[in-house]
Amino acid sequence: MINNGIERINRFFIFLETRSNLIITSFVIGFIFLGLDMLYVTPKFEAAYHGLQYSILSNNPFDFSYVNPLRYRILPSLIGYLIFLRGNMFFIVPLIFALLFISSVYWIYRRKKYSPLDAILFTGLIAFSCTLYIQLVAPGYTDSIFYFFLFLSFAFVKDIIWCGVFFALAMLTHESSIFLLPGLLLYSGYIHNGNKSATLKQFFMLLIAIIPLLIYRYWVSKQITVEYDLNFYFSKKNILFSLKKAIPLMPAGAFYAFKLFWLFPIYTLCKTWKKREFKFFTIIIVIIIFDFIQLIIAFDITRMLCLGFPAILLSAEKIKEEWQSEKFTHFVLGLTILNFFIFQYFMSSDGLIPM
């Protein structure tokens, strides 16, 4: 009975893709998932905290007559300025990218020849986690934008130039994207199957991708002092404060980032270590380690750890390769349903906050 239901779902979405095209179907999926997210958590539509600062910046990104601590993270506010979603309307920009992010996950996995239902389930690994939930309860924050570009960096890792372009855009959105660089480089070497020439080209391309942000930061620093700079984040005061806040709250904060979806990297790490597949093991563990390293300089625990979403997706891919198709589909479907029964919170320095 379950298998018949799975087959019907696959046939329906193949029919939809045939009648329209894959891009339109991907956006349909994106709209549905975004709507479900808004039913599961309580969305807000007025920028606050950092979202408010991005909104102010979007009115005129290059007006240096006032202080704004987020000036180095220029791309989202610049996009809002250029498409006239400025000020109070800026919160729509990250929502647009949330839709693009969700839709692109389905699009990528269908291009990888995954069945429609499996592509939907992979989309759910992102849409039904704090990777997207936090965007809805913290409007104006730009996480969905650099997550979108980072996802494309991994998805297009075989295309050295496009991978670099997407990574550069992620860096211009938020400098914390740099914490995924080690994992992305290792994944590139894995995908290029030991091709030293391609891996070396990828390495230099990704280094080049950092240069636009460095140039922009240097130029802005000559115009005005920006509070959130390296001196701020790596100051003794900030590090001690972050560690004091983060360490006691880390287990719960980490859990609520993905809840039961953490089983994918945990299982994959155990399995690849046992089978001596150390290259893939290293990719996953490096992504996770560098994800957690962020907590040395930032204490918004659950939000910070959402950056590790590639470890969830890549681990799920690895499991799908090893399991029978029906077993994998049943498992992910069941895990997704169980995840909904765990009330959603996120952890900040103030403790657990219901969503």
Side-chain angles (χ1 to χ4, degrees), residues 24-82:
I24 291 175
T25 304
S26 299
F27 276 111
V28 170
I29 295 290
F31 275 111
I32 292 172
F33 274 61
L34 199 58
L36 291 173
D37 283 348
M38 290 183 179
L39 291 173
Y40 188 64
V41 300
T42 304
K44 300 176 183 177
F45 302 100
E46 185 178 1
Y49 306 110
H50 283 182
L52 183 59
Q53 296 296 329
Y54 285 116
S55 299
I56 294 170
L57 192 60
S58 69
N59 287 315
N60 190 341
F62 305 113
D63 178 5
F64 297 110
S65 63
Y66 64 95
V67 174
N68 191 308
L70 304 176
R71 284 191 179 276
Y72 290 145
R73 304 165 189 173
I74 187 58
L75 186 60
S77 296
L78 180 59
I79 292 172
Y81 177 78
L82 292 175

Side-chain angles (χ1 to χ4, degrees), residues 248-291:
L249 305 175
M250 189 185 297
F255 173 76
Y256 282 107
F258 301 106
K259 293 191 294 192
L260 296 179
F261 294 156
W262 278 114
L263 289 175
F264 291 109
I266 291 171
Y267 176 86
T268 300
L269 288 172
C270 293
K271 200 71 175 178
T272 52
W273 180 266
K274 185 177 180 181
K275 296 176 68 174
R276 304 181 68 82
E277 296 181 23
F278 296 129
K279 287 184 178 179
F280 200 86
F281 175 91
T282 304
I283 293 168
I284 303 302
I285 200 68
V286 164
I287 291 174
I288 293 173
I289 287 173
F290 276 85
D291 188 27

Side-chain angles (χ1 to χ4, degrees), residues 192 194-201:
H192 288 121
N195 185 328
K196 293 182 179 179
S197 175
T199 304
L200 193 61
K201 289 177 182 177

